[in-house]
Amino acid sequence: MPGDAPLILLIEDDPQIRRFLRPTLAAQGYRLVEATTGNEGLTQAATQPPDVVILDLGLPDIDGLEVTRRLRDWTAVPIVVLSARGQERDKVAALDLGADDYLTKPFGVPELLARLRAALRRSAARAAREPEAVFAVGDLRVDLSARLVSVAGAEVHLTPTEYRVLTTLVRHAGKVATHSFLLKEVWGPPHVQETHYLRVFMAGLRRKLEKDPAQPRYLLTEQGVGYRLAVE
């Protein structure tokens, strides 16, 4: 396998999951390094810096949430949590600590691979540091430098708050943005509990940007957790 193929660090103590993912990831052109404990994973991340981390939360030594916190102390590597914990509070905690994405076991391989591709694209975009970036997916186009939003070539007029919500999602496109994160970014820390603000403005954005607001193509809901801007 080429030495420049993306390197994935899998921190997972379940041997069946590791056995399953080895050929799956290799077939997609990824290199793989494995760790079965949180401490081993932290050491691997420091000695063989990966392009993406796949992280289980239920590790035998330290909790995966603590692994996320420690990684975020020194690296921005994308972290995709893959866990049997399906409670909303676990998802929110992982995402607020800096995880980029969260999948619940059992999981679908196509979805996992799509989330990995999205994480790699975001990482590459951050590395490129293009201040004049234009975000585009499907018919939606957001020109951040021109402050111009369009759908199918037609300009869409947004209120200042709608624009701030949208551009916050653009800056984290493909990643789950929790309710508290969006509220803090757009309205400020005093409003992190005011989730009704988000519902109102997301509904307005969907009416303006989506062909069918009831079945959104771009502005996706992560039930009980937050929102995600589609990247493909």
Side-chain angles (χ1 to χ4, degrees), residues 20 56 62 89 106 123 126-127 135 138 152 173 197:
F20 173 68
D56 182 24
I62 56 176
R89 63 176 179 271
S123 181
R126 283 197 301 266
F135 173 82
Y197 286 1

Side-chain angles (χ1 to χ4, degrees), residues 173-189:
K175 179 178 177 178
V176 178
T178 65
H179 296 135
S180 58
F181 173 79
L182 285 168
L183 287 162
K184 182 176 67 175
E185 290 292 303
V186 177
W187 285 275

Side-chain angles (χ1 to χ4, degrees), residues 113-131:
L113 294 174
R115 302 290 180 93
L116 291 174
R117 291 192 298 269
L120 286 167
R121 281 195 299 272
R122 290 194 302 274
S123 181
R126 283 197 301 266
R129 292 187 176 89
E130 296 179 356

